[in-house]
Amino acid sequence: MARWKINLTVLWLGQFLVMSGMTMITPFLPLYIQEMGLQDQHEIAIWSGVIFAGNFVTSFLFQPIWGGLSDRYGRKVMLLRSGFGMAIVMTLMGFATSPLQLLGLRIVNGVISGFMPAAVALMSTNTPKEKIGFAMGTLQSGGVAGSILGPFIGGLLAEWVGFRPIFYITGPLLFCASLLALFLVKENFDAAAAKKKPAISTIEGFKELKKTKELPALYAVTFVIQFSMLSSMTLIPLFVQELHGKGELLAFYAGLVGSITGFSNMIASPLLGRLSDRIGSVKILAVCLVGAAVSFIPQAFVTNIWQLFACRFMLGIFMGGMLPCVQTLISSFAPKGMESRAYSFNTSSLSLGNMLGPVIGGLLSGWMHIQGLFIMSAVLLFANALWVRKALFHSKARPSEKSG
């Protein structure tokens, strides 16, 4: 098997385990906090929100720092640092005896996280140019698969073994995935040449990257994707209830609406990634941005649950083409030697969308309802498509032209 394919296989597994481990806590987090002694429902809800968000806040702040170190010392080193570190922190979460301890561990987890951007940077710099789109799409599908199955697996394990053992299982699995990466992933990295380059701060690095006008547009795509998806996500169960009523299978349908987008995303990512290798990532990204915007509009006018399923499935297909194309384009436009830093700012954009989406969506839902949030998401995606067209389609160094 070609070296890049071995790297892709191992890192796909790592992405899956990291994302499933991160999302496995979602279904039972309030119950785990309740087990620690809290009884007031409002207090439990506040702690749940703060603990869940804590990871994203520190991840947003620290990703560019790790990205700079990755460009200087190698992507594999950062991959292993994050993988082994998260394995330890995840295991320790099972020993937490208070919400404050759990919050502290989630904050630490966000500080040391960085497996995903390191994996993306390593693949982009160690994969043949004509295969990058397929590699990015496949890698993306691993993370999506983990985020879909994580809550499902977490819910099953909570029923089977209880809350704390889940952390004792997840930590060692992350450790094993990191061991596989240690022994099987190979990186072509000129450490001597990297160390000769002057060290620059995070702010200086961002200023340098901002000079490449295509990169801010790509970061905006990542932010808008996450913001659009999560601004309405917490209201989806209530919307399903409104469409379906309070009858049987309500919880099942609510879960299916949430996961069906992920399933179509997982299927579409490698296929659209392969297509982008043939016709160019810019074209695929533009089509997917417009397609996702169009997919949001009918969600505001559906009258039954099956129409919503169809709209969410189509949305997942277009979403599946966006992040792989963004990652491929970042690889093409990032200044040489700053690839990891470029990807780390993209991860910060993703974390920012994860943070602000639910908060702003919740605040706006009081006067525009979920239908208004769907229309808002469509407008944001259309605007982002125009920005991408202006920044990328008229670029003098189109990636499709670079790779022939």
Side-chain angles (χ1 to χ4, degrees):
M1 188 185 292
R3 169 50 53 191
W4 71 272
K5 291 183 178 179
I6 296 174
N7 288 350
L8 180 58
T9 302
V10 175
L11 294 178
W12 186 97
L13 178 63
Q15 291 269 62
F16 174 81
L17 290 174
V18 167
M19 286 307 299
S20 60
M22 295 286 286
T23 57
M24 211 178 280
I25 191 176
T26 307
F28 63 85
L29 179 58
L31 302 177
Y32 188 39
I33 294 171
Q34 192 174 40
E35 191 181 81
M36 293 175 180
L38 270 67
Q39 298 301 324
D40 182 79
Q41 294 300 306
H42 180 63
E43 191 178 2
I44 290 172
I46 291 174
W47 272 111
S48 297
V50 171
I51 289 170
F52 187 76
N55 183 87
F56 296 118
V57 173
T58 49
S59 175
F60 167 73
L61 296 172
F62 278 85
Q63 286 309 309
I65 297 173
W66 296 128
L69 292 174
S70 181
D71 284 329
R72 195 164 184 81
Y73 299 105
R75 286 91 196 192
K76 185 176 177 179
V77 173
M78 291 297 111
L79 191 82
L80 297 176
R81 172 202 59 76
S82 176
F84 286 122
M86 286 194 294
I88 294 170
V89 172
M90 193 67 69
T91 304
L92 290 175
M93 287 182 188
F95 294 96
T97 57
S98 71
L100 188 60
Q101 290 177 2
L102 189 58
L103 173 61
L105 288 168
R106 287 280 292 180
I107 288 173
V108 171
N109 195 68
V111 170
I112 63 175
S113 66
F115 189 97
M116 293 177 65
V120 169
L122 193 150
M123 283 305 305
S124 71
T125 53
N126 290 267
T127 301
K129 281 288 184 184
E130 66 276 9
K131 301 292 184 181
I132 286 181
F134 170 74
M136 294 296 102
T138 303
L139 201 60
Q140 164 77 4
S141 72
V144 172
S147 62
I148 295 170
L149 295 178
F152 175 71
I153 296 170
L156 287 180
L157 287 175
E159 291 291 334
W160 184 33
V161 299
F163 302 138
R164 294 185 185 275
I166 293 177
F167 298 104
Y168 308 147
I169 294 169
T170 306
L173 283 175
L174 287 174
F175 189 84
C176 291
S178 301
L179 280 179
L180 282 176
L182 174 64
F183 293 114
L184 296 180
V185 171
K186 304 296 180 184
E187 176 188 18
N188 293 321
F189 182 75
D190 192 341
K195 288 179 181 178
K196 288 180 181 177
K197 294 183 178 180
I200 58 175
S201 68
T202 300
I203 295 175
E204 289 172 334
F206 182 73
K207 289 180 179 178
E208 184 64 28
L209 291 171
K210 197 169 64 171
K211 293 177 182 176
T212 305
K213 66 175 183 178
E214 295 85 359
L215 292 177
L218 294 170
Y219 296 155
V221 172
T222 299
F223 171 79
V224 169
I225 291 171
Q226 296 304 114
F227 184 90
S228 300
M229 288 297 293
L230 293 182
S231 62
S232 58
M233 188 64 74
T234 56
L235 302 173
I236 286 290
L238 297 176
F239 190 46
V240 171
Q241 181 179 328
E242 185 179 312
L243 294 172
H244 179 68
K246 295 184 179 181
E248 296 181 356
L249 300 178
L250 175 60
F252 171 76
Y253 284 141
L256 188 58
V257 168
S259 63
I260 197 168
T261 305
F263 276 114
S264 56
N265 185 316
M266 182 176 63
I267 294 167
S269 288
L271 299 176
L272 291 174
R274 191 187 293 274
L275 183 61
S276 73
D277 287 329
R278 293 173 52 196
I279 68 173
S281 297
V282 176
K283 293 177 182 177
I284 296 294
L285 178 59
V287 169
C288 286
L289 278 167
V290 174
V294 171
S295 298
F296 265 113
I297 295 173
Q299 292 181 56
F301 304 99
V302 296
T303 56
N304 62 64
I305 195 71
W306 303 107
Q307 293 172 355
L308 184 61
F309 283 155
C311 293
R312 300 293 288 185
F313 185 85
M314 288 302 299
L315 175 64
I317 290 175
F318 291 115
M319 288 290 184
M322 280 194 267
L323 279 181
C325 286
V326 168
Q327 291 162 350
T328 302
L329 290 165
I330 287 174
S331 173
S332 299
F333 287 116
K336 188 169 179 58
M338 295 187 70
E339 294 88 353
S340 294
R341 197 184 290 264
Y343 281 119
S344 68
F345 279 111
N346 192 56
T347 304
S348 289
S349 299
L350 187 144
S351 295
L352 188 62
N354 286 336
M355 284 190 293
L356 295 182
V359 174
I360 294 178
L363 292 174
L364 294 178
S365 65
W367 62 276
M368 67 165 51
H369 201 249
I370 192 171
Q371 286 94 335
L373 295 179
F374 290 145
I375 299 298
M376 179 189 72
S377 296
V379 171
L380 286 174
L381 287 162
F382 275 126
N384 207 179
L386 292 175
W387 188 0
V388 164
R389 177 177 175 80
K390 181 179 179 181
L392 301 184
F393 269 86
H394 303 293
S395 172
K396 294 181 180 179
R398 294 255 311 267
S400 56
E401 294 170 2
K402 283 184 179 181
S403 59

